[in-house]
Amino acid sequence: MIDVVSIITHYLKEEIINIRSVGGGCIAQSGIITTESGSNYFLKQGYSNGMFYCESNGLREIAKAKCIQVPEVILVGESFLLLSVISQGAKINNTMEDFGRKLANMHQFTSDRYGFFEDNFIGSSKQINTYSTSWSDFYFINRLLFQYKLVEQNGKVTEELKDLFLKLENRIKEILEGSEDIASLLHGDLWGGNYMIDTSGDVVLIDPAVYYGNREADLVMTKLFGGFTTDFYDSYSKEYPLTPGYKYRENIYLLYHVMNHYNLFGNSYYGQMIDLMKFYV
């Protein structure tokens, strides 16, 4: 068994005097460690499947854009991730407006193709990031089809789902027609639980599932559990206006996350998944 405390102690060159568990993580076990000098660090443990390497690479990729804060990666191993501590604060008047503007700037940090140099995770599910120069091909094969195959593996495909998915496959290029041909840096899992507010009232992004994709996918994810504030969306649109047809394409991006939730959490997501498919077919 890996002695994480010894590895971190050796790296920091000082003793750890306290580890305090903190809640809020849906997947990993989290805690604040304090060293003999009084320094604090955020420690995540609980998985040894490469998830923490992926998370660290995602945080570093977002940091490259120099648009929005992320925790600093201090040290990463197969079964742990050590980050700087973000002292939690509260929203101020312009927090969400500033968030929208910074996300729009991040989405202007681009690549010449869709995908990422490694596969990573969306929640605890594998997320495939094989490079492609076609957004519709990338999105269908690596997002929708991959989730559909997981549904098959889980023995949860119904005749209704099979029929709708085949029809959707035949229409995917038409559905995504008109979306801009730009591969933007995406957080990948941007819901309300994956950002924090620091003591200055600024947003800090956490728990990314980074890849380069169409920015509409990031914005739609913000709406999965009720959405962000009007100030956020207005500020984003002012900074980086969306292309025509965005509203029509929203449901195709929601579908990926709902299919993932169906695979992870079960039948309560079945009806929503079917309704999203029926919107197009």
Side-chain angles (χ1 to χ4, degrees):
M1 183 176 179
I2 297 173
D3 186 349
V4 172
V5 171
S6 293
I7 293 172
I8 294 173
T9 298
H10 178 75
Y11 179 81
L12 296 177
K13 295 182 173 56
E14 58 176 329
E15 293 298 318
I16 295 170
I17 61 172
N18 187 51
I19 302 178
R20 174 172 58 85
S21 294
V22 294
C26 296
I27 299 173
Q29 303 161 12
S30 302
I32 303 292
I33 69 171
T34 302
T35 64
E36 58 189 345
S37 68
S39 298
N40 291 317
Y41 302 91
F42 187 76
L43 176 64
K44 298 178 74 169
Q45 301 182 83
Y47 275 78
S48 56
N49 57 358
M51 179 181 290
F52 294 130
Y53 285 117
C54 293
E55 182 175 344
S56 67
N57 288 332
L59 290 170
R60 286 168 172 151
E61 196 72 14
I62 293 173
K64 287 179 187 177
K66 298 179 180 178
C67 297
I68 194 164
Q69 287 189 81
V70 291
E72 179 187 357
V73 176
I74 307 299
L75 184 64
V76 61
E78 187 67 27
S79 60
F80 73 94
L81 175 60
L82 190 67
L83 303 168
S84 61
V85 172
I86 304 299
S87 297
Q88 195 152 357
K91 292 178 183 176
I92 56 178
N93 288 339
N94 68 337
T95 291
M96 296 307 289
E97 179 183 347
D98 188 54
F99 186 10
R101 182 170 54 254
K102 287 179 176 177
L103 184 67
N105 290 331
M106 190 185 96
H107 285 165
Q108 293 176 73
F109 191 81
T110 61
S111 173
D112 60 356
R113 52 187 174 165
Y114 302 101
F116 201 44
F117 73 89
E118 65 180 358
D119 297 335
N120 47 30
F121 295 85
I122 182 77
S124 59
S125 297
K126 196 77 173 177
Q127 179 167 267
I128 306 302
N129 293 320
T130 304
Y131 283 119
S132 175
T133 56
S134 165
W135 174 239
S136 60
D137 288 348
F138 175 89
Y139 188 72
F140 182 76
I141 294 168
N142 294 336
R143 296 294 178 262
L144 300 183
L145 183 59
F146 181 76
Q147 285 293 329
Y148 182 81
K149 288 180 177 179
L150 285 181
V151 177
E152 285 186 323
Q153 291 173 23
N154 293 333
K156 296 164 64 176
V157 173
T158 65
E159 285 301 316
E160 178 185 39
L161 174 56
K162 182 178 180 180
D163 178 63
L164 288 170
F165 192 80
L166 288 172
K167 291 177 179 176
L168 192 71
E169 180 178 8
N170 291 330
R171 291 207 59 214
I172 192 66
K173 289 187 182 299
E174 178 187 349
I175 293 166
L176 291 175
E177 186 179 3
S179 55
E180 62 192 358
D181 188 22
I182 299 172
S184 297
L185 174 60
L186 307 185
H187 177 280
D189 193 13
L190 192 55
W191 66 287
N194 281 346
Y195 73 86
M196 296 176 61
I197 310 296
D198 70 11
T199 52
S200 298
D202 293 325
V203 165
V204 183
L205 295 182
I206 60 174
D207 296 343
V210 159
Y211 66 102
Y212 286 85
N214 190 292
R215 61 193 175 109
E216 294 174 349
D218 239 8
L219 284 174
V220 168
M221 180 58 189
T222 68
K223 299 182 178 182
L224 184 59
F225 300 112
F228 293 178
T229 67
T230 300
D231 285 351
F232 168 84
Y233 297 109
D234 288 348
S235 176
Y236 182 97
S237 296
K238 183 177 180 180
E239 186 74 19
Y240 194 8
L242 291 159
T243 55
Y246 163 67
K247 286 291 183 182
Y248 172 73
R249 294 184 290 270
E250 280 189 338
N251 283 345
I252 200 68
Y253 298 125
L254 280 175
L255 179 60
Y256 169 55
H257 296 288
V258 173
M259 290 182 78
N260 183 45
H261 280 69
Y262 179 58
N263 277 310
L264 290 174
F265 306 118
N267 291 337
S268 61
Y269 287 92
Y270 180 82
Q272 185 179 6
M273 177 176 62
I274 293 298
D275 287 345
L276 289 170
M277 292 183 182
K278 285 182 176 179
F279 179 83
Y280 296 106
V281 301

